[in-house]
Amino acid sequence: MSRAGARVGVGTRFRYDGETVEVVELAATTAGNEVVLKDTRGSVRRLSLKELLFSDRAEIVPEQTGPAADDAEEIASVVLSQLRDDERRRILERAEHVREVLTGYRSGSPELGREGEPRTEYADDAPAEARYAAKARELGVSVRTVKQWVADFRRHGEAGLAPKRGQSRPTQPPGDERWAEMALEVMAEHTDQSRPSRTLVIERTRARVIARFGPGVVPQPSRATAFRILEDLERRHPLFRLSTKRNRDIAHRPEGVYGKLRPTRPGEYLLMDTTRLDVFAFDPLTLKWVQAELTVAMDWYTRCITGIRVTPVSTKAVDVSAVLYQCFRPRPAPRDWPRHAVWPEHGIPCKVLVDVEAAVGGGLASPPLVPETLVVDHGKVYVSEHLTSVCRRMGLSIQPARLRTGRDKGPVERYFRTVREGLLEALPGYKGPDIHSRGESPEDDAFFFLDELEAIIREWTAAVYHCRPHSSLVDPGLPGLRMSPSQMFEHGMARAGYIEVPRDRDLAFEFLQTKWRTIQHYGVEIDRRRYRGPGLNGLSGMNSPYDGPVRNGWPFQVDPDDITRIYFRAPDRRWHTLTWEHAPAAGMPLSEDALVFARKLAAAKYRFPDDRLAVADLLERWNLGLGTTLAERRMALRLSREQAAIELPDADEPLAALPSVRRALGQDDETPALSPGEPEEAEAGDDDEADVEDLIGEDDFYADALEDV
């Protein structure tokens, strides 16, 4: 039997750095065993024996043949694991017969011999040929077969007695290989196009084969064979079976091994993304359905949702900043929420507290976590200067995901799917994930306003999603335990020993846009709007300490969704609120786009318009539901919201009294709770902010706005 070992001593040869060397001396030193090597040129070098045996630079040259890692035969475990139970029993029985031929004992050892062993024909003094002949007569096979069994057993043990099977080869499509390669090339060209039929791919492949190789060179398969070839190629490049979007995702998979960020504590990575909801909301001004977008922030380690915002299409950078701000200052939880859905105001898990009810206040809707790194896609709102400057100020790193690689934000994408399957499907106005899943007229059932829809999603996330075990939340030390996001937060805090919390609530003002303006005796003017406030007292005519883009300018924080107020940090480092002079005329938040549009309307109607007249005319127009364009409709929807992007409002009236909401939240006694599933999947929306220059036109857009009222 060949041996796997080789002796190392004087005369043993090695290949060291590609050169053949020979051991000429072994020496024992205080640092360990060493060897002296001599190469073919007579040069001598001294190395440690450990370096010679375990380094990748050295390889022994054995003097005798033996097993090697590059042998053509499969290893014993692979061969034996392919056998069926009956085949394995026959192999074990055959191995006993071979051992009896070699040793006289079926077990192969006298100490484990059975009664009556060794038999006379297999005794030690019996010749080998006599033993082969006796075993051949006993089993009814030829002597040559027995000898082959013995040889195979000596070389490979019991695995050598297994049935000889051909080595596995990669499955090749039927027909000519060149035709299959050309068909795969045609299929790859349709990755980013609409799905073709199999007949079209076959015809184009045949034409391309003739054009490239010439007529009659490559045999053309029959129609049935061509369909079988495409079926085999479908496993390599999906084109016909799955959706076109899924096929594109598969085609753009990376060629190498997948990498993955591995969070180790709460707040290490924060995933942010935006998706268009598969449910219609209701426009309170035009009495029409609208499409809404959901922007969320998720802590990767715990899967806790730390920020939620529902906006009309399209999401702006200030909306994303508002979601990020909720990580610093979560919204208060409504009084009617169940206790298990409420977080203590300081963010410490409830189980850590001695007396939960002793916590001050009603609690928070989500845990406050200051993230260390944001993982976002390449949408305009996520790579905007506004968001990047805020992250730079807050000390947050931004990790952009790879283009067209949704798996980089897999948990938050899975959350979007969970929201659709666990909540939105049960709400009126649900329109399905695609046009093929849409009902006849789902917009007829839409009656949730945007703020109501946001409140429903926020309550479902806190009461159901945060409390349901997820298959992806696993502690490596307890692989069988599945934890919920709230339990994972407790586990992460105990593991890390700390959590990052906001240090100053006034950092919220830094999430707003900065504009540089000078301070005049009448106040501050921004885009022809004048702001005044006590914070400007004594600063008129004073030299600015800032070296900004405007000479002698001061920085002011502006919220584009509410231009009735701006914020200013005085030299005493305290924040002050400045109010627009025409804010009382509006009586509600007014966006910057809405004011620009109001000025256009006033200029077309009056000869000498001003902002007061423009706002009054716009409010009158919207109150009558006479919006004319899609852009005007979006601005009206933003205007109708009761809260600005960054403010923390009081808890709204509960929406759980609605039957559909009660069913979605699992609060209906007659309807079982829905299974929300684990975290998440969908596409992020882009900031398709309408151009203000196209706001006028389409006079008949809302001609039927009140048709069904």
Side-chain angles (χ1 to χ4, degrees):
M1 180 180 295
S2 58
R3 297 177 57 84
R7 293 182 178 180
V8 177
V10 176
T12 305
R13 292 182 300 166
F14 286 84
R15 278 191 294 272
Y16 189 79
D17 287 341
E19 186 179 5
T20 302
V21 295
E22 182 180 351
V23 178
V24 295
E25 183 181 351
L26 291 173
T29 65
T30 56
N33 295 327
E34 294 184 353
V35 294
V36 178
L37 305 178
K38 184 177 67 174
D39 58 17
T40 56
R41 298 187 302 270
S43 301
V44 178
R45 68 181 68 182
R46 192 183 187 98
L47 294 176
S48 66
L49 183 60
K50 180 179 180 181
E51 168 73 13
L52 193 63
L53 296 180
F54 298 104
S55 175
D56 294 335
R57 302 168 59 184
E59 180 183 0
I60 191 171
V61 179
E63 297 179 355
Q64 299 178 352
T65 59
D70 56 354
D71 288 342
E73 298 84 359
E74 295 289 349
I75 61 178
S77 61
V78 174
V79 174
L80 296 177
S81 62
Q82 298 181 77
L83 301 177
R84 300 189 302 271
D85 292 341
D86 56 337
E87 292 178 334
R88 188 176 292 107
R89 286 193 296 269
R90 287 197 298 268
I91 295 302
L92 295 178
E93 182 179 357
R94 186 176 299 173
E96 291 181 350
H97 289 298
V98 172
R99 284 192 290 267
E100 187 176 19
V101 171
L102 296 176
T103 64
Y105 301 89
R106 291 202 171 191
S107 61
S109 173
E111 290 80 5
L112 301 176
R114 302 176 185 177
E115 184 178 356
E117 290 183 345
R119 291 186 289 177
T120 305
E121 57 269 26
Y122 303 111
D124 293 340
D125 54 352
E129 291 294 333
R131 297 183 185 183
Y132 294 151
K135 184 58 68 174
R137 290 192 302 270
E138 179 183 350
L139 300 179
V141 296
S142 64
V143 175
R144 183 177 180 180
T145 300
V146 175
K147 291 182 177 181
Q148 184 65 44
W149 287 351
V150 172
D152 292 339
F153 184 82
R154 283 175 170 173
R155 290 186 58 190
H156 304 292
E158 296 177 351
L161 303 177
K164 301 299 186 295
R165 297 175 178 176
Q167 295 184 356
S168 59
R169 298 179 179 178
T171 303
Q172 297 292 338
D176 193 277
E177 184 177 355
R178 291 172 292 180
W179 198 96
E181 292 179 355
M182 198 64 61
L184 184 63
E185 180 181 319
V186 175
M187 294 172 62
E189 292 177 355
H190 286 82
T191 299
D192 298 328
Q193 302 177 7
S194 300
R195 177 186 299 161
S197 64
R198 290 178 173 85
T199 302
L200 177 62
V201 173
I202 293 174
E203 294 299 330
R204 290 188 176 181
T205 302
R206 287 176 176 174
R208 188 168 299 186
V209 166
I210 295 175
R212 182 168 299 183
F213 299 102
V217 177
V218 178
Q220 299 286 351
S222 64
R223 181 178 177 86
T225 303
F227 271 85
R228 289 196 297 270
I229 293 176
L230 295 185
E231 184 178 356
D232 292 336
L233 297 178
E234 179 76 7
R235 293 192 294 267
R236 298 171 56 184
H237 189 90
L239 181 63
F240 309 106
R241 179 171 52 89
L242 303 175
S243 65
T244 55
K245 180 180 180 301
R246 180 59 176 165
N247 291 336
R248 288 192 296 269
D249 292 340
I250 295 176
H252 290 91
R253 286 174 177 172
E255 296 294 337
V257 180
Y258 290 178
K260 182 180 179 181
L261 295 176
R262 301 188 181 277
T264 59
R265 59 187 178 277
E268 185 176 4
Y269 295 104
L270 186 73
L271 305 176
M272 297 190 68
D273 204 356
T274 302
T275 187
R276 186 167 296 183
L277 294 178
D278 297 326
V279 63
F280 289 124
F282 203 72
D283 187 335
L285 299 180
T286 62
L287 304 180
K288 291 272 191 173
W289 59 265
V290 295
Q291 290 187 338
E293 288 187 342
L294 172 64
T295 303
V296 299
M298 171 190 286
D299 177 57
W300 195 339
Y301 181 82
T302 64
R303 306 296 198 274
C304 285
I305 303 299
T306 59
I308 294 177
R309 184 165 174 80
V310 177
T311 57
V313 178
S314 64
T315 303
K316 297 183 178 181
V318 67
D319 299 320
V320 178
S321 298
V323 175
L324 182 59
Y325 170 71
Q326 294 178 27
C327 303
F328 288 75
R329 297 291 297 178
R331 294 191 175 187
R335 294 184 298 273
D336 61 318
W337 277 19
R339 192 63 194 177
H340 69 272
V342 179
W343 294 80
E345 289 196 348
H346 35 68
I348 304 300
C350 298
K351 294 182 179 179
V352 180
L353 300 177
V354 178
D355 186 3
V356 178
E357 301 297 335
V360 179
L364 302 175
S366 59
L369 280 177
V370 177
E372 301 176 17
T373 302
L374 299 186
V375 180
V376 297
D377 56 19
H378 295 263
K380 291 190 296 184
V381 294
Y382 293 103
V383 297
S384 62
E385 181 181 355
H386 175 66
L387 184 63
T388 54
S389 61
V390 169
C391 293
R392 188 180 302 110
R393 164 63 174 162
M394 301 300 172
L396 309 181
S397 301
I398 297 180
Q399 175 68 47
R402 291 170 292 181
L403 291 173
R404 301 177 61 89
T405 309
R407 67 185 65 88
D408 286 353
K409 303 185 279 54
V412 71
E413 301 287 358
R414 184 62 175 87
Y415 169 78
F416 290 146
R417 176 183 171 185
T418 303
V419 171
R420 175 172 60 85
E421 296 179 350
L423 175 64
L424 300 183
E425 286 181 348
L427 298 180
Y430 175 71
K431 61 185 181 66
D434 51 55
I435 190 64
H436 303 288
S437 306
R438 184 170 300 183
E440 182 177 0
S441 55
E443 62 272 14
D444 293 345
D445 298 329
F447 63 89
F448 287 121
F449 300 130
L450 288 179
D451 54 339
E452 294 177 328
L453 186 60
E454 178 178 321
I456 293 172
I457 296 177
R458 192 180 299 275
E459 182 174 356
W460 176 86
T461 301
V464 179
Y465 178 81
H466 281 170
C467 302
R468 187 178 186 275
H470 293 194
S471 61
S472 58
L473 295 180
V474 181
D475 184 358
L478 300 172
L481 178 63
R482 299 295 183 269
M483 291 182 285
S484 65
S486 58
Q487 293 173 336
M488 196 66 180
F489 183 89
E490 300 174 10
H491 173 270
M493 197 198 70
R495 180 178 181 180
Y498 68 93
I499 57 174
E500 294 280 348
V501 296
R503 57 180 299 167
D504 190 350
R505 61 179 302 169
D506 287 339
L507 291 175
F509 295 111
E510 302 188 20
F511 286 84
L512 302 178
Q513 294 180 352
T514 300
K515 292 190 177 182
W516 292 84
R517 294 296 185 272
T518 59
I519 300 177
Q520 306 296 334
H521 63 281
Y522 51 80
V524 178
E525 184 174 348
I526 298 179
D527 296 335
R528 295 186 295 169
R529 303 186 304 270
R530 293 184 176 182
Y531 296 87
R532 301 186 181 94
L536 300 179
N537 294 339
L539 297 180
S540 177
M542 180 182 297
N543 292 330
S544 172
Y546 300 98
D547 187 15
V550 177
R551 183 178 180 183
N552 202 28
W554 298 75
F556 298 90
Q557 305 304 112
V558 180
D559 183 2
D561 280 347
D562 184 11
I563 61 175
T564 60
R565 295 173 296 174
I566 63 175
Y567 307 95
F568 170 65
R569 186 163 65 172
D572 59 359
R573 318 313 292 169
R574 296 178 56 188
W575 285 94
H576 300 275
T577 301
L578 307 181
T579 306
W580 182 34
E581 60 181 355
H582 296 306
M588 63 178 67
L590 183 68
S591 68
E592 189 171 6
D593 291 341
L595 180 59
V596 173
F597 179 67
R599 288 171 176 171
K600 287 183 175 290
L601 293 178
K605 185 176 181 181
Y606 303 104
R607 185 174 181 181
F608 302 103
D610 58 11
D611 284 347
R612 181 189 297 273
L613 188 61
V615 172
D617 189 55
L618 181 65
L619 294 179
E620 180 183 1
R621 183 185 183 91
W622 278 344
N623 287 335
L624 293 177
L626 300 179
T628 58
T629 65
L630 181 61
E632 179 184 358
R633 180 178 175 182
R634 294 173 182 171
M635 290 184 294
L637 205 56
R638 287 184 176 273
L639 184 67
S640 67
R641 305 197 66 182
E642 296 181 357
Q643 72 274 5
I646 302 297
E647 290 180 343
L648 296 178
D650 294 335
D652 296 329
E653 292 297 326
L655 299 172
L658 298 174
S660 59
V661 180
R662 292 183 59 84
R663 289 195 299 269
L665 298 177
Q667 299 174 356
D668 195 341
D669 297 335
E670 300 179 358
T671 305
L674 298 179
S675 300
E678 290 88 9
E680 296 129 47
E681 203 174 311
E683 290 264 332
D686 291 330
D687 191 356
D688 55 347
E689 183 177 353
D691 190 353
V692 179
E693 298 298 330
D694 299 330
L695 297 179
I696 305 274
E698 303 177 11
D699 295 333
D700 59 343
F701 187 85
Y702 286 125
D704 58 344
L706 305 177
E707 184 175 89
D708 299 331
V709 179

